[in-house]
Amino acid sequence: LTASFAADCPATREILNRVGDKWSVLIIVSLGLQGTMRFSALRRGIEGISQRMLTATLRGLEKDGLVSRTVHPTNPPQVEYALTKLGRTLLEPVTALAVWAQGHRAEIYKAREAFERKT
């Protein structure tokens, strides 16, 4: 790990954009805690995410090899999502980030309010 991130090497930034996106974090944590899930269960479990955003985020995670998508030949087709082996390696740091955010949200909101009062 280096302290600088070269502009001509966007790979690290691109990966961080994917895995650090709020929806990606919530999807990874959900799949890590619940295991394999259907699309509708993921959507119900992640408050505020639209169908379109869930679809796009899952596609991106699948493209990057973090999530697998399995289509079962039923009528209508049943689609399930799960973390891949690579996705499971991301579970611990992403979960830690989500837990930290949840545990410190009151402090963050207070800091924001104090900042707004100063400006």
Side-chain angles (χ1 to χ4, degrees), residues 2-115:
T2 63
S4 64
F5 298 97
D8 61 343
C9 184
T12 300
R13 292 178 196 182
E14 184 182 329
I15 293 167
L16 287 172
N17 281 341
R18 167 78 66 225
V19 301
D21 167 83
K22 71 177 178 179
W23 299 123
S24 294
V25 168
L26 294 174
I27 289 169
I28 290 166
V29 171
S30 294
L31 291 173
L33 293 173
Q34 302 293 322
T36 301
M37 295 178 75
R38 293 178 66 181
F39 183 92
S40 56
L42 271 168
R43 186 159 179 222
R44 279 192 306 273
I46 301 173
E47 193 171 313
I49 193 167
S50 68
Q51 181 172 337
R52 182 173 170 246
M53 182 55 69
L54 180 57
T55 298
T57 306
L58 284 166
R59 282 192 183 149
L61 292 169
E62 183 182 10
K63 178 181 178 181
D64 289 347
L66 301 171
V67 168
S68 65
R69 179 179 184 264
T70 304
V71 180
H72 298 282
T74 57
N75 192 6
Q78 182 180 357
V79 181
E80 294 179 326
Y81 296 90
L83 291 177
T84 62
K85 184 177 178 182
L86 180 60
R88 286 191 300 276
T89 67
L90 189 56
L91 186 58
E92 184 178 342
V94 164
T95 300
L97 180 60
V99 167
W100 180 90
Q102 190 171 30
H104 291 86
R105 68 178 180 249
E107 294 168 76
I108 300 291
Y109 290 143
K110 282 183 185 177
R112 287 178 183 175
E113 289 172 3
F115 180 84

